[in-house]
Amino acid sequence: MSRRRIGLALAAASFAWGFATSLAHATDISFWTWRQEDKAAYNELFADFTKANPDIHVKFESFPDENYPTIVSTALAGGKGGDVIHTHAYGWLEQFVKAGYFEPLDMATVPSLANQPADALVSGTYRADKRVYSLPFASQTLGLFINKDVFAKAGLTPPTTWDEFITVSKAMKEKGIYPLANGMGTSWFNEMFVAIFTNPFLGQDFVSDLTSGKTTFKDPRYVAALGKLLELRPYMPEGFEGIDYETAGQLFLSGKAAMLAGGSFDIATYRSQNPAINMDFVAPPLAKAGDTPQATKFFDGGYAVNSKSANKEAALKLVKWMGTKEFGDKFSALLGNISPIKGVVIKDELLSHVAKLNETAMPHINVVYFRFEKPTGSELLQGDITKMMSGSITPDQLAADLTDGLAKWYKPFQGK
Amino acid sequence: MAEGWRHSERAFPWRRSLWIAALLTPALLVMVLFVLWPLLSAFRFAFYEFNGLRPSGFIGLENFRQVLFEKPYSDWTWNAFKHNVIAFLALMLFENGTAFLIAFALLKALPGHRIHQVIVFLPVVLSAVIVGFLWKLFLHPLFGLVNQLLGLVGIGAIPWLGNENTALGSILFANIWHWLGFPTLVLLAGMQRISKDVLEAARLDGAGDYALMTKIVWPLIAPSVTIVTILTFIGSFNWFEIPYVMAGLTGSPGGSTDVLGLYFYRTAFGSTTTGIQDFGQGSALAVLMFVFVAGVTAIALRYLRRREIEQ
């Protein structure tokens, strides 16, 4: 063998050795989520992360939404699970934190926490020790989808107040169009439906009174707001009690219905299902002209680090990066969600409109304050609202059931 | 060969036992790991409070007291239990009653009975999830086949699964459609075991179809009725898949389709949209369901077996 060949062989061997060494030092971490539909976007985001951190590779692993809590809790109980876990917020998160499954995040390990607004951080904070365990990933806004083409064809203007909503709905119905696409066939959305239409009648003062213990859900303001929901029934499709949220979406997208109470989380889905849809997303009808627009806002969840992760340092590095403006900008652009990270630029016109609504939005009362212990406000409300809408119980009874049920663990309601 | 085996058995008497033990061990291990251990864990968890997702302290019978006597949990438990009882009675009457009539008709071997036998049994091979989705579509208020047909005779959109008065009945109907073939087959097998001489003797004595069915066939298929009754009872109190697919985890609307299986699942494992997991209360519910189903099954079996002997 010539010297030249020996030299080439040595060079190739050292290259291979170097390559193998770099691979051996790379850390593989996994990201667990229920958002199967976001796989492509997350993989693109993780590729950016790996570009900046070549020693860390992130694997996207998704599980069915409905069984996600069970799968995650079972895995974490066995000391397994993803290194970074996509979590829901508030009470959902708290049960995992209580069990010691997540690592606390602080400014030393995740300095990008400073980029989060205070109300977003609450969604990832454990109430008992006031520490953040999950970095918030998106705010969700509840409001009213408007099919602009349907309105234009009917020669009507989208309503802004409750009275206008009723007038417009009557006119739509006369033209053979369902004014409001929603039904009551999806329990989880029924709770959102209540929040969307009652919040403009409740206002921030009611939330303050409720959370400070000055009042309960038996408050006449809440009962009256529930009563308003009954006025919607004639403008929902026939058999609305059995119409689920998916059907409502299809009625809206196909132009059979003019309006849909829904969430900003569906904007991207609706656009992909009907790219030609000409829609708007507005605040629900105001109690009276001149009121502040009051959509409903909550934070969907966040990113937490598994406390048993063998790659905690790499996992924290990823979460730290997920709190940067760079991540937030791309996240919002790719997924059509509003990142709570300060300074994030939202280029999409409809999404930036939603972000504007967030500035005056009310919290989703049940999700933000009453999902921490059993029975949760969600269990109680979801059980009763279909009964109220079908007329088998009154708004007073629903308000009493909700208050009395929550009084089991929410001290300000006890004895009231 | 056999002589050799017997010789070996005499020389090494423990060999046969060892062989049997070796064959049984894998199955026993699976049973212990996947049946006995979870069952015992559920019994243990039922006596613990769960703070977060881990047991935080022994609380005796507190979880049982809550699910049986403390509102709103007790209301939810009894409401779900009531629906299980309704399901059992409805399935006994409509599913097994119809199955008996169909089996009797098939026994008579009328022309085309074989194809009818296949048609009746066909839905049984479908998964409960498929059946649930299928009937959910059929019963859709706006686009469902049922309402489209009713619309032809001027009946407006009925929210079958959205109305508290019709939801449970609709789900039961789907369940009966799914399972009708099974009791039909069991009862038919029982009927086919009856001696032809007995049936012919009854005919010669002038027994008509009704008398034959009630006085001869019914008493003589007692073992099959025992099987069908016990399986219907266990199935009714473990009912989960079809209500879950058609009415969701909350037993909507307003808990009108809630059953113990759904209530147990959402209590123990929570739901993303309603709340938190409570293995303690969930385990208490599971233990109560187990004790009730096992206890009633044991008593019913004793009674039904005695009836078989008397017949």
Side-chain angles (χ1 to χ4, degrees), chain A residues 373-376 379 405 408-409, chain B residues 63 65-79 263 267 278 281 285:
Chain A
E373 285 179 50
K374 278 176 66 71
T376 63
E379 279 176 283
K408 291 274 168 218
W409 60 271
Chain B
N63 284 324
R65 190 194 65 76
Q66 284 178 358
V67 296
L68 289 175
F69 305 112
E70 186 181 318
K71 286 189 173 194
Y73 313 114
S74 55
D75 287 347
W76 294 338
T77 308
W78 293 114
N79 178 54
Y263 181 40
T267 303
D278 187 340
Q281 253 193 28
L285 276 168

Side-chain angles (χ1 to χ4, degrees), chain A residues 66 95 99 187 371 376 408, chain B residues 54 71 244 250 273-274 277:
Chain A
E66 194 69 25
Q95 57 187 336
S187 293
R371 270 196 191 170
T376 63
K408 291 274 168 218
Chain B
R54 283 190 172 151
K71 286 189 173 194
Y244 177 68
T250 53
T273 57
T274 56
Q277 308 181 20

Side-chain angles (χ1 to χ4, degrees), chain B residues 60 74 113 122 139 171 179 206 267 272:
Chain B
S74 55
H113 72 282
L122 209 57
L139 296 169
I171 294 172
W179 283 111
T267 303
T272 304

Side-chain angles (χ1 to χ4, degrees), chain B residues 35-212:
Chain B
V35 179
L36 198 63
W37 177 248
L39 207 64
L40 292 175
S41 295
F43 268 97
R44 191 170 71 87
F45 286 160
F47 297 95
Y48 280 83
E49 183 182 20
F50 275 73
N51 189 17
L53 302 169
R54 283 190 172 151
S56 58
F58 182 80
I59 51 167
L61 296 170
E62 179 59 17
N63 284 324
F64 293 94
R65 190 194 65 76
Q66 284 178 358
V67 296
L68 289 175
F69 305 112
E70 186 181 318
K71 286 189 173 194
Y73 313 114
S74 55
D75 287 347
W76 294 338
T77 308
W78 293 114
N79 178 54
F81 178 74
K82 182 181 81 185
H83 295 144
N84 284 110
V85 172
I86 291 171
F88 172 64
L89 296 175
L91 294 180
M92 280 302 290
L93 190 65
F94 298 111
E95 184 176 291
N96 297 340
T98 312
F100 177 76
L101 294 176
I102 293 174
F104 187 71
L106 290 170
L107 181 72
K108 294 180 78 176
L110 300 170
H113 72 282
R114 287 213 182 276
I115 186 74
H116 278 94
Q117 202 167 322
V118 173
I119 289 170
V120 166
F121 193 74
L122 209 57
V124 177
V125 301
L126 295 174
S127 106
V129 177
I130 292 171
V131 172
F133 272 114
L134 197 70
W135 278 98
K136 202 176 170 182
L137 287 175
F138 285 167
L139 296 169
H140 193 284
L142 296 179
F143 316 121
L145 181 72
V146 176
N147 277 358
Q148 299 277 345
L149 291 173
L150 290 175
L152 296 176
V153 289
I155 297 173
I158 298 171
W160 296 102
L161 295 171
N163 186 315
E164 288 169 52
N165 300 320
T166 52
L168 185 63
S170 303
I171 294 172
L172 278 166
F173 182 83
N175 195 84
I176 291 169
W177 181 87
H178 184 205
W179 283 111
L180 183 64
F182 183 72
T184 305
L185 216 65
V186 174
L187 295 174
L188 180 62
M191 289 176 192
Q192 284 169 339
R193 276 210 311 268
I194 300 170
S195 162
K196 282 205 168 52
D197 299 343
V198 174
L199 296 173
E200 277 167 21
R203 287 273 185 215
L204 288 173
D205 283 347
D209 272 351
Y210 181 73
L212 199 70

